[in-house]
Amino acid sequence: MTLANQPPVLIIGGSLVGLTASLALTTAGIPNITFEKHAQISAHPRAMGFTPRTMEYYRSLGIADQIPQAPADFTLLRARRSAQSPTNPQTPPAKPTFSSLRGAAIPQDALETILSTTALSRGADIRRGWTVLTFTQTPTGVTITVLPPCSKTPTAITGSYLLAADGHRSTIRGQLATPLSGIGHMQTMRSVLFRADLSPLTSDITQFEIDQPESNSLHAFLTTYNDHRWVLMFYDDIHRSEPDLRSAINLAIGRDDIPVHIITTGRWDLTARIAERFHHGRVFLLGDAAHTLPPNRGGYGRSWGEG
Ligand SMILES: Cc1cc2nc3c(=O)[nH]c(=O)nc-3n(C[C@H](O)[C@H](O)[C@H](O)COP(=O)(O)OP(=O)(O)OC[C@H]3O[C@@H](n4cnc5c(N)ncnc54)[C@H](O)[C@@H]3O)c2cc1C
């Protein structure tokens, strides 16, 4: 049997890592089907920064030219702005470079669109709105039960291998009972994603650590997806009403006269965990299903995805 005639590889999860796997297999001529439980790409992007190594991998898949690399003269500038002191930009020491490519700053939803559009154009089968429930495996194949969109009747689909790219709460890893090691849960954070033109205020600085102890105790991180979408990440797990979110945004930007459109909110668990095994027979764990990285390790969870 040739690779092109074998039963498809079944990919669970159609986010960054599952879509990358679909694109890689499709480009290599290996049949595959991706099942993603959500009908649409998430309205709240998470990742924005991608390493040169990730760009090298995307170059091998022929999509690096669709992803804008950081400019050659890019300089990292970070500013700490508190209620008491003015903005004080600082430039960390330059890091040595090891690649002919530079890292990229692209919102996760834009990158997922590139991955999925390219994979589909090369013949991939990506099924959105399909939820995988269980799997069984034999020495020769893997069978999943999956709920198609708007259906209450699971259907069985058999493939050659199963790639579980179903995130840090991986159903497949749970079914395998794969032990996890590492520090575990570190913090739960809340966020509000909003659209606003802050360019007159920010002097092209894109990340702000905000510590305003005397103004309703706002301790948060403000960053942008570079398309007038900003995310304010709260270092706490407090539910805020829309008026409270608006107050916090105004406090963070130091103005209450800038039009702000709230897009959505998020709640994120920061964890450091790694599965003790990445494969069991014909089942492989990929991306966050295999390991999660907290921001103090660079937060490059996606960039580890194809490792
Ligand atoms: C706030 C934040 C910022 C981040 N910034 C960066 C960054 O700048 N750079 C970086 O490299 N990483 C970053 N990360 C980490 C990065 O987002 C993750 O490492 C990456 O999204 C992992 O991709 P994944 O495809 O493995 O899992 P996920 O993105 O979690 O995707 C899993 C997918 O599987 C689907 N799924 C789950 N169960 C099923 C099922 N049973 N059936 C069908 N589908 C299912 C889910 O709907 C989901 O779409 C950040 C994370 C957070 C929270």
Side-chain angles (χ1 to χ4, degrees), residues 2 40 56 63 95 139 160 166 172 174 197 211 243 249 285 299:
T2 65
Q40 307 287 340
E56 288 172 352
I63 59 165
K95 292 182 180 165
S160 54
D166 53 346
I172 304 298
D197 181 4
D211 193 357
I249 293 168
L285 302 178

Side-chain angles (χ1 to χ4, degrees), residues 166-226:
D166 53 346
H168 75 290
R169 292 199 179 91
S170 174
T171 305
I172 304 298
R173 190 191 63 226
Q175 204 184 319
L176 288 165
T178 310
L180 296 168
S181 58
I183 295 171
H185 179 267
M186 298 172 71
Q187 190 177 8
T188 299
M189 297 178 73
R190 301 263 183 160
S191 64
V192 55
L193 181 74
F194 63 98
R195 191 179 297 281
D197 181 4
L198 303 186
S199 48
L201 307 177
T202 54
S203 313
D204 290 336
I205 300 170
T206 56
Q207 296 184 339
F208 296 86
E209 192 73 46
I210 296 169
D211 193 357
Q212 299 187 347
E214 292 179 8
S215 306
N216 299 329
S217 295
L218 179 64
H219 184 32
F221 178 68
L222 179 68
T223 189
T224 182
Y225 290 100
N226 286 343

Side-chain angles (χ1 to χ4, degrees), residues 81-286:
R81 185 176 198 279
S82 77
Q84 289 84 19
S85 67
T87 303
N88 177 25
Q90 294 175 349
T91 307
K95 292 182 180 165
T97 54
F98 302 102
S99 173
S100 61
L101 293 176
R102 296 181 298 279
I106 180 172
Q108 177 162 346
D109 50 350
L111 180 54
E112 287 184 19
T113 301
I114 292 170
L115 291 167
S116 128
T117 306
T118 312
L120 289 169
S121 74
R122 295 179 188 174
D125 182 347
I126 298 172
R127 303 186 188 181
R128 293 199 160 271
W130 292 61
T131 302
V132 175
L133 304 176
T134 59
F135 79 92
T136 54
Q137 64 172 321
T138 67
T140 56
V142 181
T143 299
I144 58 171
T145 54
V146 56
L147 267 184
C150 309
S151 169
K152 292 186 177 151
T153 311
T155 182
I157 297 178
T158 296
S160 54
Y161 294 92
L162 189 158
L163 305 186
D166 53 346
H168 75 290
R169 292 199 179 91
S170 174
T171 305
I172 304 298
R173 190 191 63 226
Q175 204 184 319
L176 288 165
T178 310
L180 296 168
S181 58
I183 295 171
H185 179 267
M186 298 172 71
Q187 190 177 8
T188 299
M189 297 178 73
R190 301 263 183 160
S191 64
V192 55
L193 181 74
F194 63 98
R195 191 179 297 281
D197 181 4
L198 303 186
S199 48
L201 307 177
T202 54
S203 313
D204 290 336
I205 300 170
T206 56
Q207 296 184 339
F208 296 86
E209 192 73 46
I210 296 169
D211 193 357
Q212 299 187 347
E214 292 179 8
S215 306
N216 299 329
S217 295
L218 179 64
H219 184 32
F221 178 68
L222 179 68
T223 189
T224 182
Y225 290 100
N226 286 343
D227 52 8
H228 293 316
R229 284 184 300 173
W230 289 80
V231 63
L232 185 63
M233 305 277 310
F234 301 100
Y235 290 107
D236 60 47
D237 187 20
I238 298 170
H239 170 78
R240 290 172 173 81
S241 64
E242 183 168 335
D244 287 347
L245 291 172
R246 288 190 180 280
S247 300
I249 293 168
N250 290 342
L251 204 53
I253 64 180
R255 296 269 290 264
D256 60 6
D257 58 340
I258 305 238
V260 166
H261 168 65
I262 292 180
I263 301 169
T264 188
T265 56
R267 183 170 185 265
W268 316 104
D269 288 328
L270 306 188
T271 60
R273 289 193 181 106
I274 187 161
E276 290 189 2
R277 295 180 62 186
F278 288 179
H279 89 97
H280 303 249
R282 290 179 167 261
V283 180
F284 292 77
L285 302 178
L286 305 187

Side-chain angles (χ1 to χ4, degrees), residues 12-19 35-38 44-51 54 108 112 128 130-133 146 164-172 191 225 233 268-270 286-289 291-293 298-305:
I12 318 304
S15 176
L16 283 177
V17 174
L19 290 172
F35 301 92
E36 166 54 50
K37 67 182 177 185
H38 290 120
H44 195 324
R46 286 164 286 162
M48 173 70 180
F50 301 95
T51 61
T54 297
Q108 177 162 346
E112 287 184 19
R128 293 199 160 271
W130 292 61
T131 302
V132 175
L133 304 176
V146 56
D166 53 346
H168 75 290
R169 292 199 179 91
S170 174
T171 305
I172 304 298
S191 64
Y225 290 100
M233 305 277 310
W268 316 104
D269 288 328
L270 306 188
L286 305 187
D288 278 15
H291 39 57
T292 52
L293 292 174
Y300 287 122
R302 154 64 197 93
S303 297
W304 268 36

